[in-house]
Amino acid sequence: MTRSRWRMLLGILAVLGVFSIAVACGDDDDEGDTATQPAGGSSATAAPNTGGAPKGTITIRAIQFESWDPHFSDFAQDISHFYMVNRGLYMLDLQNKPQPELADGMPKISADGKVYTIKLKSGLKWSDGQPIKADQFVAGIQRTCNPDIAGHYEFVLDDTVKGCHEYAAATKDDAAKKEQLRAGVGVKAIDDLTLEITLLEPKPTFTTILTMWPTFPTPTHKVAKVDDKWPGPMESVYTGPFMPSKYTEKNSLELVPNPNWSGAAKPKVEKIVLRYIDDPAVATQAYRAGEIDATVLPAAEFPAVKADANLSKELNQFPATRTFGLAFNQRAGQVGSNQDLRIALSQAVDRDAMNQVVFKGVQTPTTNWMPPDRSGLPLNAFKAEVGFDAAKAKATLAKAGYADGKNFPKLTLLLTDTAENKDLGSFLKDQWKKNLSIDVDLEFVDSKTRSTRYNTGAFQLVIAGWQEDYPDPENWYIGLRETGGSINKEGCSLPALDDLIKKAKTNQNDEERRKQYQEAEKLAVTNAQCNLPLWHVSGLRLVKPYITGMKESKRAGDTFVMGDWNPENWATSKK
Amino acid sequence: MVGYTIRRILALIPLLLAVVTVTFFLMHAVQGGPFDSDRPLNEATRARLEEKYNLDGTLGEQYVHYMRNLANADLGVSFSNDRPVRAIIADRFPVSLHLGLYAFAFAITFGLVLGIVAALHQNGRWDYVTVFLSTVGAALPPFILAPFLVWTFALKLDWFNVLSSDYGPISVTDWSWIWHDMTHLQQMVLPTVALGFLPAAFIARVTRASMLEVLRQDYIRTARSKGLDHFQVVMRHAIRNALIPVLTIAGPIFAGLITGSFIIERAFSIPGLGRSFIESVINRDYGVIMGTTVFFAVIISVMNLLVDLAYAIVDPRIRL
């Protein structure tokens, strides 16, 4: 009797166990196709949809946006979302040239270069069918300048559009004064289809600025006042090729074609699913399992993917517009105020070895600040001056007053505490010990602490970089390399560089202006101003072979996949 | 018991005050603020944001302001996305609760069965299996277990998914979520096992030890001498008494599981409260840090109270 009862109990448990596994392994009608799709997934593919009715679904790895308000946010993931559902007057093409999007042609610019008159295309509509009008672009620019919105990208308009700075600075003023300042911002609607923007001084890159999210129109039928909160994804209306159809915070956002999209390229897929996955390593596993169609690849997995016969064909590697290097605190009295010392430390770093040891060969070793695509200079243009040369490094350090590393002062390299930075810190420390006989201390802190110390000058040396906001050389210099510039955190100062930047800033001769920035690049790097470049970042993305239209454009927006600012070009042949 | 319950609830007030105060000052003592990034905001923008989120006063003023709002059940807003903290918790907690309930059910079932079977077969095959599994469970941290499970069961065997399902809210009036879960087991099994394995191992060890002790008690010998068969002795007399230590640990385990795990939620991309809490610490999102800490403190305190009350029900010798 006892034995039989135990057998019965175990029998019930066994049946439950088998049932659970059977259910677990059964078909899942909702997502079975996706879940069981093998990596490569070419068995169920046909010709990609390049025209006709949209078809298919593309699921990509994305990161949850922080803010849905284009006039407030500066997060890269937010910006990628914005371009999928919103568009402004102009849009950058694949060569990074601004092309009319909602505007009807390029702007008419006054002879003095200060007044831009822009016509809108007629018949433009928001996704809910309401007309898009010029005064909504006025409201958009005013909203970015609004001190109560506290837009993080206000700086692109601050010293550019007349009255924007005064309005943005009016944080303590009363409502009446703010209203007066709002009305004083140099943007007005001449009629429903005509917009006029007045600048403080000529800005050759202003049409490019008009491709950016801080200038997107405000749907005034949803955001009535300049202080009103921007609606959430399901409540807002859109000017872009897609619009949200379902949203679960931190889980996913589903996009469907906007029926009122006016652009020439019509969406080719029925649905885009942005699956929010924080950890890129998890996303890579989901990609391998066929649960998503495209993702960022973490550099640590690059060697394994490259060695994989199938995955290597799905790997896309492209130069991103981001540079990292050694940023010294150059303020008086700091160790980094010694120019020869800065150059010696740069010359002592073997960038090629660093790339192999630390980055598994992913990044592009460099001595350039601007990526070659942006500056027009060859890669590693300043190798002779600041590039790796152990003998030269020793001589430069002697010139700096520390022959053979003797009496070298205490110097601490500040890094964010990540596994990759641990390797990077160790590598650099070894290089300086080996090539200069000096000891540099390493200090690892969390990212917020590092940013605070970097921003407030509480550092000696950090690994720091720059990701461009818009594709123009000026974005690598204005504010960054000028004496007292708002983002000159190293305290660097070179009068000749200041002069060059000042001339280039308003120079309307584009060819001459770009040459001036090339000269600025030479001056900055060879004089070890602010940052001694070490590597340009490479973008790594995995894309299933049945996807077409994801094209990299070498700009900041490609956060999730290549070309995620132009999802209207994406197509899938997966059934 | 009513008086005891009221006293315990009143005792929560100074406890929560202490938790809020310590967390508030510790949080502000850490370097770096919510608006710090490599791209510093201009002064006017920063000033406006600090004013908007009441960060422009002294620390004392900020504390008083926070406590005043808290007294009105206002947990503040997130500095990242301006959402009320209460709404964030209301969105995320059901997700963690949903996963945590499954993990708890797995831990209790797996832990109790293994622990009881091991004790009944001390030094036998099942005992060794239990000891091995509970040792492995205790030794394997979730950040190793989760990728291991994914690699084995999702990538190699293709039994389960890498990404989890949408853990929607659960309800006691609308049971459709159970059907949803049953049809999405491929996406729910791995997170459940990954989260529940460590507590299951712990429960198995505690159950085994407790059962072994109870089985040696005089009243068990008396029950056997009265002619009860082994099944009746175990089910009626041994297990009930052996469960008291398990009950002690079950409360905190339950609280720990339903309040979310950053590692598991990140590993399976689950939008739960654990992930949200750690992200808020990294981002110095003071509103979310404080609100979530208060919420966690309440949940854990209430669970401890329920466990203490349950003692009195399970063991009549305990008087409250």
Side-chain angles (χ1 to χ4, degrees), chain A residues 50-72:
Chain A
T50 50
K55 61 179 183 185
T57 297
I58 292 178
T59 303
I60 66 166
R61 179 257 178 171
I63 304 170
Q64 167 74 45
F65 61 85
E66 293 288 345
S67 169
W68 197 244
D69 184 346
H71 303 136
F72 172 77

mmCIF file with all atom_site columns, all heavy atoms in Angstrom, chain A residues 50-72:
data_model
loop_
_atom_site.group_PDB
_atom_site.id
_atom_site.type_symbol
_atom_site.label_atom_id
_atom_site.label_alt_id
_atom_site.label_comp_id
_atom_site.label_asym_id
_atom_site.label_entity_id
_atom_site.label_seq_id
_atom_site.pdbx_PDB_ins_code
_atom_site.Cartn_x
_atom_site.Cartn_y
_atom_site.Cartn_z
_atom_site.occupancy
_atom_site.B_iso_or_equiv
_atom_site.pdbx_formal_charge
_atom_site.auth_seq_id
_atom_site.auth_comp_id
_atom_site.auth_asym_id
_atom_site.auth_atom_id
_atom_site.pdbx_PDB_model_num
ATOM 1   N N   . THR A 1 50 ? 10.590 45.577 -53.458 1.00 0.00 ? 50 THR A N   1
ATOM 2   C CA  . THR A 1 50 ? 11.141 46.900 -53.752 1.00 0.00 ? 50 THR A CA  1
ATOM 3   C C   . THR A 1 50 ? 10.079 47.854 -54.271 1.00 0.00 ? 50 THR A C   1
ATOM 4   O O   . THR A 1 50 ? 10.354 48.973 -54.640 1.00 0.00 ? 50 THR A O   1
ATOM 5   C CB  . THR A 1 50 ? 12.285 46.794 -54.780 1.00 0.00 ? 50 THR A CB  1
ATOM 6   O OG1 . THR A 1 50 ? 11.807 46.013 -55.875 1.00 0.00 ? 50 THR A OG1 1
ATOM 7   C CG2 . THR A 1 50 ? 13.499 46.139 -54.171 1.00 0.00 ? 50 THR A CG2 1
ATOM 8   N N   . GLY A 1 51 ? 8.870  47.405 -54.347 1.00 0.00 ? 51 GLY A N   1
ATOM 9   C CA  . GLY A 1 51 ? 7.793  48.279 -54.792 1.00 0.00 ? 51 GLY A CA  1
ATOM 10  C C   . GLY A 1 51 ? 6.462  47.636 -54.476 1.00 0.00 ? 51 GLY A C   1
ATOM 11  O O   . GLY A 1 51 ? 6.409  46.547 -53.935 1.00 0.00 ? 51 GLY A O   1
ATOM 12  N N   . GLY A 1 52 ? 5.374  48.291 -54.773 1.00 0.00 ? 52 GLY A N   1
ATOM 13  C CA  . GLY A 1 52 ? 4.055  47.725 -54.515 1.00 0.00 ? 52 GLY A CA  1
ATOM 14  C C   . GLY A 1 52 ? 3.677  47.827 -53.064 1.00 0.00 ? 52 GLY A C   1
ATOM 15  O O   . GLY A 1 52 ? 4.250  48.610 -52.301 1.00 0.00 ? 52 GLY A O   1
ATOM 16  N N   . ALA A 1 53 ? 2.666  47.027 -52.685 1.00 0.00 ? 53 ALA A N   1
ATOM 17  C CA  . ALA A 1 53 ? 2.146  47.099 -51.312 1.00 0.00 ? 53 ALA A CA  1
ATOM 18  C C   . ALA A 1 53 ? 3.195  46.621 -50.318 1.00 0.00 ? 53 ALA A C   1
ATOM 19  O O   . ALA A 1 53 ? 3.940  45.693 -50.618 1.00 0.00 ? 53 ALA A O   1
ATOM 20  C CB  . ALA A 1 53 ? 0.906  46.245 -51.221 1.00 0.00 ? 53 ALA A CB  1
ATOM 21  N N   . PRO A 1 54 ? 3.229  47.269 -49.139 1.00 0.00 ? 54 PRO A N   1
ATOM 22  C CA  . PRO A 1 54 ? 4.206  46.826 -48.143 1.00 0.00 ? 54 PRO A CA  1
ATOM 23  C C   . PRO A 1 54 ? 3.924  45.390 -47.713 1.00 0.00 ? 54 PRO A C   1
ATOM 24  O O   . PRO A 1 54 ? 2.767  44.991 -47.613 1.00 0.00 ? 54 PRO A O   1
ATOM 25  C CB  . PRO A 1 54 ? 3.967  47.783 -46.966 1.00 0.00 ? 54 PRO A CB  1
ATOM 26  C CG  . PRO A 1 54 ? 3.072  48.839 -47.438 1.00 0.00 ? 54 PRO A CG  1
ATOM 27  C CD  . PRO A 1 54 ? 2.405  48.367 -48.675 1.00 0.00 ? 54 PRO A CD  1
ATOM 28  N N   . LYS A 1 55 ? 4.983  44.638 -47.491 1.00 0.00 ? 55 LYS A N   1
ATOM 29  C CA  . LYS A 1 55 ? 4.765  43.273 -47.003 1.00 0.00 ? 55 LYS A CA  1
ATOM 30  C C   . LYS A 1 55 ? 5.904  42.851 -46.089 1.00 0.00 ? 55 LYS A C   1
ATOM 31  O O   . LYS A 1 55 ? 7.043  43.294 -46.236 1.00 0.00 ? 55 LYS A O   1
ATOM 32  C CB  . LYS A 1 55 ? 4.582  42.300 -48.158 1.00 0.00 ? 55 LYS A CB  1
ATOM 33  C CG  . LYS A 1 55 ? 5.750  42.191 -49.091 1.00 0.00 ? 55 LYS A CG  1
ATOM 34  C CD  . LYS A 1 55 ? 5.465  41.174 -50.194 1.00 0.00 ? 55 LYS A CD  1
ATOM 35  C CE  . LYS A 1 55 ? 6.683  41.006 -51.090 1.00 0.00 ? 55 LYS A CE  1
ATOM 36  N NZ  . LYS A 1 55 ? 6.470  40.150 -52.229 1.00 0.00 ? 55 LYS A NZ  1
ATOM 37  N N   . GLY A 1 56 ? 5.544  41.997 -45.163 1.00 0.00 ? 56 GLY A N   1
ATOM 38  C CA  . GLY A 1 56 ? 6.529  41.422 -44.245 1.00 0.00 ? 56 GLY A CA  1
ATOM 39  C C   . GLY A 1 56 ? 6.776  42.276 -43.016 1.00 0.00 ? 56 GLY A C   1
ATOM 40  O O   . GLY A 1 56 ? 6.345  43.432 -42.927 1.00 0.00 ? 56 GLY A O   1
ATOM 41  N N   . THR A 1 57 ? 7.459  41.661 -42.080 1.00 0.00 ? 57 THR A N   1
ATOM 42  C CA  . THR A 1 57 ? 7.810  42.323 -40.817 1.00 0.00 ? 57 THR A CA  1
ATOM 43  C C   . THR A 1 57 ? 9.315  42.238 -40.605 1.00 0.00 ? 57 THR A C   1
ATOM 44  O O   . THR A 1 57 ? 9.910  41.201 -40.876 1.00 0.00 ? 57 THR A O   1
ATOM 45  C CB  . THR A 1 57 ? 7.095  41.622 -39.642 1.00 0.00 ? 57 THR A CB  1
ATOM 46  O OG1 . THR A 1 57 ? 5.688  41.758 -39.816 1.00 0.00 ? 57 THR A OG1 1
ATOM 47  C CG2 . THR A 1 57 ? 7.497  42.211 -38.304 1.00 0.00 ? 57 THR A CG2 1
ATOM 48  N N   . ILE A 1 58 ? 9.880  43.325 -40.168 1.00 0.00 ? 58 ILE A N   1
ATOM 49  C CA  . ILE A 1 58 ? 11.305 43.328 -39.803 1.00 0.00 ? 58 ILE A CA  1
ATOM 50  C C   . ILE A 1 58 ? 11.395 43.618 -38.311 1.00 0.00 ? 58 ILE A C   1
ATOM 51  O O   . ILE A 1 58 ? 10.819 44.592 -37.830 1.00 0.00 ? 58 ILE A O   1
ATOM 52  C CB  . ILE A 1 58 ? 12.084 44.383 -40.617 1.00 0.00 ? 58 ILE A CB  1
ATOM 53  C CG1 . ILE A 1 58 ? 12.134 43.982 -42.090 1.00 0.00 ? 58 ILE A CG1 1
ATOM 54  C CG2 . ILE A 1 58 ? 13.499 44.547 -40.070 1.00 0.00 ? 58 ILE A CG2 1
ATOM 55  C CD1 . ILE A 1 58 ? 12.832 44.987 -42.987 1.00 0.00 ? 58 ILE A CD1 1
ATOM 56  N N   . THR A 1 59 ? 12.087 42.753 -37.606 1.00 0.00 ? 59 THR A N   1
ATOM 57  C CA  . THR A 1 59 ? 12.284 42.957 -36.160 1.00 0.00 ? 59 THR A CA  1
ATOM 58  C C   . THR A 1 59 ? 13.753 43.273 -35.913 1.00 0.00 ? 59 THR A C   1
ATOM 59  O O   . THR A 1 59 ? 14.625 42.505 -36.312 1.00 0.00 ? 59 THR A O   1
ATOM 60  C CB  . THR A 1 59 ? 11.895 41.688 -35.373 1.00 0.00 ? 59 THR A CB  1
ATOM 61  O OG1 . THR A 1 59 ? 10.542 41.351 -35.689 1.00 0.00 ? 59 THR A OG1 1
ATOM 62  C CG2 . THR A 1 59 ? 12.030 41.906 -33.878 1.00 0.00 ? 59 THR A CG2 1
ATOM 63  N N   . ILE A 1 60 ? 13.989 44.420 -35.305 1.00 0.00 ? 60 ILE A N   1
ATOM 64  C CA  . ILE A 1 60 ? 15.382 44.792 -35.024 1.00 0.00 ? 60 ILE A CA  1
ATOM 65  C C   . ILE A 1 60 ? 15.571 44.994 -33.523 1.00 0.00 ? 60 ILE A C   1
ATOM 66  O O   . ILE A 1 60 ? 14.616 45.278 -32.804 1.00 0.00 ? 60 ILE A O   1
ATOM 67  C CB  . ILE A 1 60 ? 15.816 46.078 -35.767 1.00 0.00 ? 60 ILE A CB  1
ATOM 68  C CG1 . ILE A 1 60 ? 15.036 47.294 -35.262 1.00 0.00 ? 60 ILE A CG1 1
ATOM 69  C CG2 . ILE A 1 60 ? 15.660 45.923 -37.262 1.00 0.00 ? 60 ILE A CG2 1
ATOM 70  C CD1 . ILE A 1 60 ? 15.631 48.621 -35.689 1.00 0.00 ? 60 ILE A CD1 1
ATOM 71  N N   . ARG A 1 61 ? 16.806 44.842 -33.112 1.00 0.00 ? 61 ARG A N   1
ATOM 72  C CA  . ARG A 1 61 ? 17.128 45.156 -31.720 1.00 0.00 ? 61 ARG A CA  1
ATOM 73  C C   . ARG A 1 61 ? 17.201 46.665 -31.580 1.00 0.00 ? 61 ARG A C   1
ATOM 74  O O   . ARG A 1 61 ? 17.822 47.350 -32.410 1.00 0.00 ? 61 ARG A O   1
ATOM 75  C CB  . ARG A 1 61 ? 18.476 44.535 -31.343 1.00 0.00 ? 61 ARG A CB  1
ATOM 76  C CG  . ARG A 1 61 ? 18.926 44.826 -29.928 1.00 0.00 ? 61 ARG A CG  1
ATOM 77  C CD  . ARG A 1 61 ? 19.982 45.896 -29.896 1.00 0.00 ? 61 ARG A CD  1
ATOM 78  N NE  . ARG A 1 61 ? 20.373 46.188 -28.519 1.00 0.00 ? 61 ARG A NE  1
ATOM 79  C CZ  . ARG A 1 61 ? 21.391 46.953 -28.168 1.00 0.00 ? 61 ARG A CZ  1
ATOM 80  N NH1 . ARG A 1 61 ? 22.135 47.506 -29.081 1.00 0.00 ? 61 ARG A NH1 1
ATOM 81  N NH2 . ARG A 1 61 ? 21.659 47.175 -26.907 1.00 0.00 ? 61 ARG A NH2 1
ATOM 82  N N   . ALA A 1 62 ? 16.555 47.182 -30.557 1.00 0.00 ? 62 ALA A N   1
ATOM 83  C CA  . ALA A 1 62 ? 16.608 48.620 -30.298 1.00 0.00 ? 62 ALA A CA  1
ATOM 84  C C   . ALA A 1 62 ? 16.780 48.844 -28.805 1.00 0.00 ? 62 ALA A C   1
ATOM 85  O O   . ALA A 1 62 ? 16.782 47.887 -28.016 1.00 0.00 ? 62 ALA A O   1
ATOM 86  C CB  . ALA A 1 62 ? 15.323 49.284 -30.798 1.00 0.00 ? 62 ALA A CB  1
ATOM 87  N N   . ILE A 1 63 ? 16.951 50.084 -28.446 1.00 0.00 ? 63 ILE A N   1
ATOM 88  C CA  . ILE A 1 63 ? 17.059 50.443 -27.022 1.00 0.00 ? 63 ILE A CA  1
ATOM 89  C C   . ILE A 1 63 ? 15.880 51.358 -26.701 1.00 0.00 ? 63 ILE A C   1
ATOM 90  O O   . ILE A 1 63 ? 15.548 52.259 -27.495 1.00 0.00 ? 63 ILE A O   1
ATOM 91  C CB  . ILE A 1 63 ? 18.385 51.171 -26.735 1.00 0.00 ? 63 ILE A CB  1
ATOM 92  C CG1 . ILE A 1 63 ? 19.567 50.297 -27.180 1.00 0.00 ? 63 ILE A CG1 1
ATOM 93  C CG2 . ILE A 1 63 ? 18.514 51.503 -25.247 1.00 0.00 ? 63 ILE A CG2 1
ATOM 94  C CD1 . ILE A 1 63 ? 20.893 51.026 -27.152 1.00 0.00 ? 63 ILE A CD1 1
ATOM 95  N N   . GLN A 1 64 ? 15.268 51.118 -25.574 1.00 0.00 ? 64 GLN A N   1
ATOM 96  C CA  . GLN A 1 64 ? 14.118 51.927 -25.146 1.00 0.00 ? 64 GLN A CA  1
ATOM 97  C C   . GLN A 1 64 ? 14.464 53.420 -25.184 1.00 0.00 ? 64 GLN A C   1
ATOM 98  O O   . GLN A 1 64 ? 15.515 53.834 -24.683 1.00 0.00 ? 64 GLN A O   1
ATOM 99  C CB  . GLN A 1 64 ? 13.734 51.526 -23.723 1.00 0.00 ? 64 GLN A CB  1
ATOM 100 C CG  . GLN A 1 64 ? 12.770 52.468 -23.022 1.00 0.00 ? 64 GLN A CG  1
ATOM 101 C CD  . GLN A 1 64 ? 11.350 52.353 -23.554 1.00 0.00 ? 64 GLN A CD  1
ATOM 102 O OE1 . GLN A 1 64 ? 10.838 51.260 -23.743 1.00 0.00 ? 64 GLN A OE1 1
ATOM 103 N NE2 . GLN A 1 64 ? 10.716 53.489 -23.788 1.00 0.00 ? 64 GLN A NE2 1
ATOM 104 N N   . PHE A 1 65 ? 13.581 54.209 -25.789 1.00 0.00 ? 65 PHE A N   1
ATOM 105 C CA  . PHE A 1 65 ? 13.829 55.659 -25.793 1.00 0.00 ? 65 PHE A CA  1
ATOM 106 C C   . PHE A 1 65 ? 13.591 56.217 -24.389 1.00 0.00 ? 65 PHE A C   1
ATOM 107 O O   . PHE A 1 65 ? 12.835 55.651 -23.603 1.00 0.00 ? 65 PHE A O   1
ATOM 108 C CB  . PHE A 1 65 ? 12.932 56.366 -26.817 1.00 0.00 ? 65 PHE A CB  1
ATOM 109 C CG  . PHE A 1 65 ? 11.464 56.202 -26.545 1.00 0.00 ? 65 PHE A CG  1
ATOM 110 C CD1 . PHE A 1 65 ? 10.799 57.044 -25.676 1.00 0.00 ? 65 PHE A CD1 1
ATOM 111 C CD2 . PHE A 1 65 ? 10.751 55.186 -27.157 1.00 0.00 ? 65 PHE A CD2 1
ATOM 112 C CE1 . PHE A 1 65 ? 9.452  56.882 -25.413 1.00 0.00 ? 65 PHE A CE1 1
ATOM 113 C CE2 . PHE A 1 65 ? 9.393  55.013 -26.891 1.00 0.00 ? 65 PHE A CE2 1
ATOM 114 C CZ  . PHE A 1 65 ? 8.745  55.860 -26.013 1.00 0.00 ? 65 PHE A CZ  1
ATOM 115 N N   . GLU A 1 66 ? 14.243 57.323 -24.114 1.00 0.00 ? 66 GLU A N   1
ATOM 116 C CA  . GLU A 1 66 ? 14.045 57.991 -22.822 1.00 0.00 ? 66 GLU A CA  1
ATOM 117 C C   . GLU A 1 66 ? 12.927 59.018 -22.932 1.00 0.00 ? 66 GLU A C   1
ATOM 118 O O   . GLU A 1 66 ? 12.094 59.134 -22.063 1.00 0.00 ? 66 GLU A O   1
ATOM 119 C CB  . GLU A 1 66 ? 15.333 58.687 -22.377 1.00 0.00 ? 66 GLU A CB  1
ATOM 120 C CG  . GLU A 1 66 ? 16.482 57.744 -22.043 1.00 0.00 ? 66 GLU A CG  1
ATOM 121 C CD  . GLU A 1 66 ? 16.287 56.986 -20.758 1.00 0.00 ? 66 GLU A CD  1
ATOM 122 O OE1 . GLU A 1 66 ? 15.413 57.378 -19.962 1.00 0.00 ? 66 GLU A OE1 1
ATOM 123 O OE2 . GLU A 1 66 ? 16.975 55.978 -20.551 1.00 0.00 ? 66 GLU A OE2 1
ATOM 124 N N   . SER A 1 67 ? 12.987 59.800 -24.004 1.00 0.00 ? 67 SER A N   1
ATOM 125 C CA  . SER A 1 67 ? 11.977 60.843 -24.195 1.00 0.00 ? 67 SER A CA  1
ATOM 126 C C   . SER A 1 67 ? 11.449 60.774 -25.624 1.00 0.00 ? 67 SER A C   1
ATOM 127 O O   . SER A 1 67 ? 12.214 60.531 -26.565 1.00 0.00 ? 67 SER A O   1
ATOM 128 C CB  . SER A 1 67 ? 12.598 62.221 -23.939 1.00 0.00 ? 67 SER A CB  1
ATOM 129 O OG  . SER A 1 67 ? 11.707 63.225 -24.371 1.00 0.00 ? 67 SER A OG  1
ATOM 130 N N   . TRP A 1 68 ? 10.163 61.004 -25.778 1.00 0.00 ? 68 TRP A N   1
ATOM 131 C CA  . TRP A 1 68 ? 9.549  60.981 -27.107 1.00 0.00 ? 68 TRP A CA  1
ATOM 132 C C   . TRP A 1 68 ? 9.495  62.390 -27.688 1.00 0.00 ? 68 TRP A C   1
ATOM 133 O O   . TRP A 1 68 ? 8.989  62.616 -28.769 1.00 0.00 ? 68 TRP A O   1
ATOM 134 C CB  . TRP A 1 68 ? 8.140  60.374 -26.988 1.00 0.00 ? 68 TRP A CB  1
ATOM 135 C CG  . TRP A 1 68 ? 7.533  59.903 -28.266 1.00 0.00 ? 68 TRP A CG  1
ATOM 136 C CD1 . TRP A 1 68 ? 6.423  60.396 -28.876 1.00 0.00 ? 68 TRP A CD1 1
ATOM 137 C CD2 . TRP A 1 68 ? 7.988  58.833 -29.105 1.00 0.00 ? 68 TRP A CD2 1
ATOM 138 N NE1 . TRP A 1 68 ? 6.158  59.707 -30.042 1.00 0.00 ? 68 TRP A NE1 1
ATOM 139 C CE2 . TRP A 1 68 ? 7.104  58.737 -30.214 1.00 0.00 ? 68 TRP A CE2 1
ATOM 140 C CE3 . TRP A 1 68 ? 9.072  57.947 -29.048 1.00 0.00 ? 68 TRP A CE3 1
ATOM 141 C CZ2 . TRP A 1 68 ? 7.259  57.793 -31.225 1.00 0.00 ? 68 TRP A CZ2 1
ATOM 142 C CZ3 . TRP A 1 68 ? 9.221  57.010 -30.064 1.00 0.00 ? 68 TRP A CZ3 1
ATOM 143 C CH2 . TRP A 1 68 ? 8.331  56.934 -31.122 1.00 0.00 ? 68 TRP A CH2 1
ATOM 144 N N   . ASP A 1 69 ? 10.028 63.337 -26.948 1.00 0.00 ? 69 ASP A N   1
ATOM 145 C CA  . ASP A 1 69 ? 9.945  64.752 -27.319 1.00 0.00 ? 69 ASP A CA  1
ATOM 146 C C   . ASP A 1 69 ? 11.188 65.157 -28.121 1.00 0.00 ? 69 ASP A C   1
ATOM 147 O O   . ASP A 1 69 ? 12.285 65.249 -27.567 1.00 0.00 ? 69 ASP A O   1
ATOM 148 C CB  . ASP A 1 69 ? 9.841  65.584 -26.029 1.00 0.00 ? 69 ASP A CB  1
ATOM 149 C CG  . ASP A 1 69 ? 9.655  67.066 -26.289 1.00 0.00 ? 69 ASP A CG  1
ATOM 150 O OD1 . ASP A 1 69 ? 9.875  67.501 -27.430 1.00 0.00 ? 69 ASP A OD1 1
ATOM 151 O OD2 . ASP A 1 69 ? 9.298  67.784 -25.340 1.00 0.00 ? 69 ASP A OD2 1
ATOM 152 N N   . PRO A 1 70 ? 11.045 65.410 -29.422 1.00 0.00 ? 70 PRO A N   1
ATOM 153 C CA  . PRO A 1 70 ? 12.233 65.737 -30.228 1.00 0.00 ? 70 PRO A CA  1
ATOM 154 C C   . PRO A 1 70 ? 12.874 67.065 -29.843 1.00 0.00 ? 70 PRO A C   1
ATOM 155 O O   . PRO A 1 70 ? 14.041 67.300 -30.162 1.00 0.00 ? 70 PRO A O   1
ATOM 156 C CB  . PRO A 1 70 ? 11.686 65.780 -31.655 1.00 0.00 ? 70 PRO A CB  1
ATOM 157 C CG  . PRO A 1 70 ? 10.231 66.051 -31.515 1.00 0.00 ? 70 PRO A CG  1
ATOM 158 C CD  . PRO A 1 70 ? 9.814  65.440 -30.209 1.00 0.00 ? 70 PRO A CD  1
ATOM 159 N N   . HIS A 1 71 ? 12.124 67.920 -29.178 1.00 0.00 ? 71 HIS A N   1
ATOM 160 C CA  . HIS A 1 71 ? 12.687 69.226 -28.815 1.00 0.00 ? 71 HIS A CA  1
ATOM 161 C C   . HIS A 1 71 ? 13.403 69.181 -27.466 1.00 0.00 ? 71 HIS A C   1
ATOM 162 O O   . HIS A 1 71 ? 13.977 70.169 -27.036 1.00 0.00 ? 71 HIS A O   1
ATOM 163 C CB  . HIS A 1 71 ? 11.579 70.287 -28.800 1.00 0.00 ? 71 HIS A CB  1
ATOM 164 C CG  . HIS A 1 71 ? 10.877 70.377 -30.103 1.00 0.00 ? 71 HIS A CG  1
ATOM 165 N ND1 . HIS A 1 71 ? 9.517  70.476 -30.219 1.00 0.00 ? 71 HIS A ND1 1
ATOM 166 C CD2 . HIS A 1 71 ? 11.363 70.341 -31.375 1.00 0.00 ? 71 HIS A CD2 1
ATOM 167 C CE1 . HIS A 1 71 ? 9.181  70.504 -31.512 1.00 0.00 ? 71 HIS A CE1 1
ATOM 168 N NE2 . HIS A 1 71 ? 10.290 70.428 -32.223 1.00 0.00 ? 71 HIS A NE2 1
ATOM 169 N N   . PHE A 1 72 ? 13.342 68.034 -26.809 1.00 0.00 ? 72 PHE A N   1
ATOM 170 C CA  . PHE A 1 72 ? 13.980 67.896 -25.501 1.00 0.00 ? 72 PHE A CA  1
ATOM 171 C C   . PHE A 1 72 ? 15.203 66.988 -25.539 1.00 0.00 ? 72 PHE A C   1
ATOM 172 O O   . PHE A 1 72 ? 16.222 67.277 -24.921 1.00 0.00 ? 72 PHE A O   1
ATOM 173 C CB  . PHE A 1 72 ? 12.965 67.333 -24.490 1.00 0.00 ? 72 PHE A CB  1
ATOM 174 C CG  . PHE A 1 72 ? 13.570 66.968 -23.165 1.00 0.00 ? 72 PHE A CG  1
ATOM 175 C CD1 . PHE A 1 72 ? 13.894 67.953 -22.238 1.00 0.00 ? 72 PHE A CD1 1
ATOM 176 C CD2 . PHE A 1 72 ? 13.845 65.646 -22.844 1.00 0.00 ? 72 PHE A CD2 1
ATOM 177 C CE1 . PHE A 1 72 ? 14.478 67.619 -21.026 1.00 0.00 ? 72 PHE A CE1 1
ATOM 178 C CE2 . PHE A 1 72 ? 14.419 65.309 -21.627 1.00 0.00 ? 72 PHE A CE2 1
ATOM 179 C CZ  . PHE A 1 72 ? 14.733 66.303 -20.720 1.00 0.00 ? 72 PHE A CZ  1
#
